Amino acid sequence: MKKSEIQIFLAHASEDKPAVLALYNRLKQAGYKPWLDKKDLIPGQNWRSVIPKAIADSQLFIACLSQRSIAKQGFVQREFKMALNQYADRPPNSIYLIPLRLDECDIPDLRQEEYGLNLRDLHWLDYWEEDGFEQLERAIGYQFKLEPEEPKQPVIVPEEPKQTVIVTPPLSVFNFEIVRVNAKGEQIKKESKQSQYFSEDLGNGITLEMVAILGGTFLMGTEDEEIERLVKKFGWEGFRRERPQREINVPPFLMGKYPITQTQWRAIAATAKIDIDLETNPSDFKGDELPVERVNWYQATEFCKRLSRETEREYRLPSEAEWEYACRAGTTTPFYFGETITGDLANYRASYTYAEEAKGEYRQQTTPVGQFPPNAFGLYDMHGNVWEWCADTWHDNYDGAPTNGSAWIENGNDNCSPLRGGSWFNHPYRCRSACRGLLDRRDFILFDYSGFRVVCGAGRTL
């Protein structure tokens, strides 16, 4: 049997739509024939008749499950009942069923007498694992005894240099303007600035602009008195992650002027694999100059490895200390704009306020990078738009953290990493310079909130 002959029905809950859509796209790219209501139902069709037919025409039924979907009241009855009944009515071995876990959830107890099977009797597939898609293809190949594909031209991967040599090209100067606002969101200052940068050529006219960040010392985190005030005002215990406040000495480095865009992502994702596969178009909101999103930590680090190979310079994710130092750009206020932000200065849920500013527009999606004023280093979109991954492993606070600007990777939660900056979806207090987001490195739920930017430099870890 050929891949193109295998129709795969993807059963899922609406809460898991982004992750399942990514799976659909990956199956299609691999040569299979996936079926998903969002993609294959035509407006005006009666889904009650079309979906059973799609199941009947399928050779593989994938039950996509997550903590959120199985906890949804009535989910199995409404979303799966029709599909599972159809499955039970099929002749033996005419359809293959795989329970696929999008995260660490329990498999529902669907009894034989109700649906003609029990999902718990079937070995599930952990798609959230790093080799999840490879395991899915292994299962499909075993069941359907796939015919060998036409031989493809081998991909030649350049040999890794034995020693990394960092060569920074001559820097150019760019001019920009920064603004400062008071607690009411009123502009109180406008100032012209200059920074140095270089443009990395990614091919086909695509560039990556890297801004030189001078080294220095700053206070990272939030003082205890301010944390308690924020907890009382907003009722969010996460502010306590920002303690204890301490002095950090950060060496010089270069940082992306913007979050990585979808154009830049495609240019690198199309190059040869190092550790894991990358989708070339994973984002929920489509646009060349929109930041790439729905990218987990492992995908972001794979991008950095490929970018390093292609450019012969070392690119990586920033440490938390580097990110906050770069975001603050010499300021000590909650935002680099001052005591608050507004919907005219950043992309976030501006229908909520932080201080005394007026409510603004909640755009409900990402915006093109560079649309809002930068900070004093010339970096754009450090507040809002997309959360940005950092290299560190997760620690609940800064007790024992390094003070030299390096990524903190010891004695932490290796399954999670911090994100910084907030997103288009978040309330303003989550977009503060000191705010720390927490996410599983393999998360499949918050992809349209999560992106990243890169730094260039030797870097250190502790």
Side-chain angles (χ1 to χ4, degrees):
M1 198 170 195
K2 295 181 180 178
K3 286 184 176 182
S4 58
E5 296 173 341
I6 303 174
Q7 179 163 303
I8 303 172
F9 185 90
L10 299 172
H12 65 289
S14 57
E15 287 84 351
D16 297 324
K17 185 74 72 180
V20 177
L21 186 57
L23 172 58
Y24 171 94
N25 290 331
R26 195 164 185 185
L27 286 166
K28 198 158 190 174
Q29 289 170 4
Y32 299 100
K33 188 181 176 184
W35 197 99
L36 183 65
D37 52 3
K38 180 177 176 63
K39 288 288 189 177
D40 299 297
L41 260 181
I42 297 171
Q45 283 188 317
N46 186 331
W47 65 269
R48 293 182 184 276
S49 60
V50 173
I51 289 180
K53 184 179 186 307
I55 297 170
D57 292 340
S58 298
Q59 290 75 43
L60 173 59
F61 179 93
I62 298 181
C64 300
L65 304 162
S66 72
Q67 293 180 29
R68 293 206 306 176
S69 62
I70 65 173
K72 182 179 176 183
Q73 188 174 9
F75 164 64
V76 170
Q77 287 73 18
R78 289 197 304 271
E79 309 289 343
F80 274 1
K81 185 174 182 180
M82 176 172 55
L84 294 175
N85 282 342
Q86 177 73 26
Y87 172 83
D89 290 341
R90 295 283 292 274
N93 300 320
S94 67
I95 188 170
Y96 185 40
L97 188 147
I98 299 178
L100 184 145
R101 302 199 307 172
L102 298 169
D103 56 29
E104 293 189 81
C105 62
D106 294 326
I107 301 297
D109 188 12
L110 303 183
R111 299 293 179 178
Q112 179 78 20
E113 58 269 22
E114 250 185 291
Y115 298 114
L117 79 158
N118 189 341
L119 277 185
R120 289 187 177 177
D121 292 339
L122 302 175
H123 186 55
W124 61 83
L125 188 148
D126 288 336
Y127 189 66
W128 48 270
E129 294 282 3
E130 190 171 338
D131 63 346
F133 190 78
E134 288 75 13
Q135 290 299 321
L136 177 57
E137 287 214 286
R138 178 170 169 261
I140 297 172
Y142 175 81
Q143 178 67 20
F144 296 102
K145 298 178 175 52
L146 296 175
E147 295 178 13
E149 299 288 315
E150 290 291 325
K152 296 180 180 178
Q153 198 71 17
V155 176
I156 300 173
V157 181
E159 185 179 348
E160 293 279 345
K162 293 181 180 178
Q163 189 171 14
T164 303
V165 178
I166 300 170
V167 180
T168 301
L171 298 176
S172 303
V173 172
F174 71 101
N175 300 300
F176 54 93
E177 286 188 329
I178 63 171
V179 299
R180 296 278 290 174
V181 298
N182 59 22
K184 295 181 179 179
E186 300 167 336
Q187 183 175 305
I188 56 174
K189 187 177 182 181
K190 193 170 188 178
E191 185 179 359
S192 296
K193 289 279 188 179
Q194 280 188 341
S195 283
Q196 292 183 305
Y197 79 108
F198 77 88
S199 287
E200 190 75 81
D201 184 7
L202 305 185
N204 298 317
I206 301 167
T207 59
L208 169 64
E209 293 180 272
M210 300 297 296
V211 178
I213 308 296
L214 298 176
T217 300
F218 82 112
L219 280 176
M220 184 174 179
T222 306
E223 60 184 5
D224 288 352
E225 183 177 340
E226 176 65 2
I227 285 175
E228 297 309 319
R229 186 189 72 81
L230 291 169
V231 169
K232 184 176 181 180
K233 180 176 180 179
F234 295 105
W236 185 57
E237 295 296 320
F239 293 111
R240 296 196 169 97
R241 302 168 180 169
E242 303 163 20
R243 64 169 40 145
Q245 190 179 48
R246 72 261 192 267
E247 188 174 273
I248 308 294
N249 183 37
V250 181
F253 60 102
L254 294 111
M255 186 177 230
K257 184 188 286 189
Y258 315 110
I260 292 297
T261 66
Q262 293 178 32
T263 298
Q264 293 164 341
W265 173 270
R266 284 196 299 271
I268 299 303
T271 63
K273 169 182 173 179
I274 293 180
D275 293 324
I276 62 173
D277 293 321
L278 294 178
E279 292 180 44
T280 56
N281 195 19
S283 301
D284 192 23
F285 307 111
K286 307 298 184 186
D288 289 350
E289 295 308 306
L290 294 179
V292 69
E293 24 85 6
R294 283 178 50 211
V295 172
N296 69 25
W297 188 90
Y298 290 101
Q299 293 162 340
T301 54
E302 171 75 9
F303 178 96
C304 292
K305 291 175 184 178
R306 296 193 197 184
L307 178 61
S308 299
R309 179 192 63 204
E310 298 299 314
T311 62
E312 299 183 345
R313 262 183 280 278
E314 186 189 47
Y315 284 94
R316 57 185 173 81
L317 294 177
S319 69
E320 267 203 278
E322 286 173 328
W323 194 98
E324 186 171 329
Y325 175 75
C327 179
R328 289 187 178 279
T331 63
T332 57
T333 48
F335 307 90
Y336 60 72
F337 299 113
E339 294 298 330
T340 193
I341 56 174
T342 71
D344 293 327
L345 299 176
N347 180 22
Y348 62 101
R349 194 182 288 253
S351 51
Y352 287 83
T353 60
Y354 179 80
E356 303 167 39
E357 78 276 14
K359 292 182 179 180
E361 179 186 2
Y362 173 36
R363 296 174 177 85
Q364 302 185 58
Q365 68 169 73
T366 55
T367 48
V369 299
Q371 183 172 304
F372 300 99
N375 67 9
F377 284 156
L379 300 173
Y380 292 76
D381 296 300
M382 298 292 280
H383 295 310
N385 220 2
V386 288
W387 283 105
E388 298 180 15
W389 286 109
C390 291
D392 312 53
T393 58
W394 177 256
H395 299 79
D396 290 336
N397 54 51
Y398 292 137
D399 283 329
T403 58
N404 63 354
S406 61
W408 191 14
I409 62 173
E410 287 189 347
N411 304 318
N413 182 346
D414 292 337
N415 295 319
C416 298
S417 277
L419 301 103
R420 290 303 201 109
S423 76
W424 60 270
F425 179 79
N426 291 112
H427 291 217
Y429 66 80
R430 299 298 299 274
C431 301
R432 295 157 44 253
S433 299
C435 186
R436 307 176 69 214
L438 165 65
L439 199 60
D440 188 294
R441 288 179 168 184
R442 294 188 176 94
D443 190 84
F444 280 94
I445 303 301
L446 299 180
F447 277 2
D448 58 351
Y449 310 154
S450 306
F452 65 105
R453 75 177 73 209
V454 297
V455 299
C456 182
R460 295 162 297 167
T461 57
L462 180 70

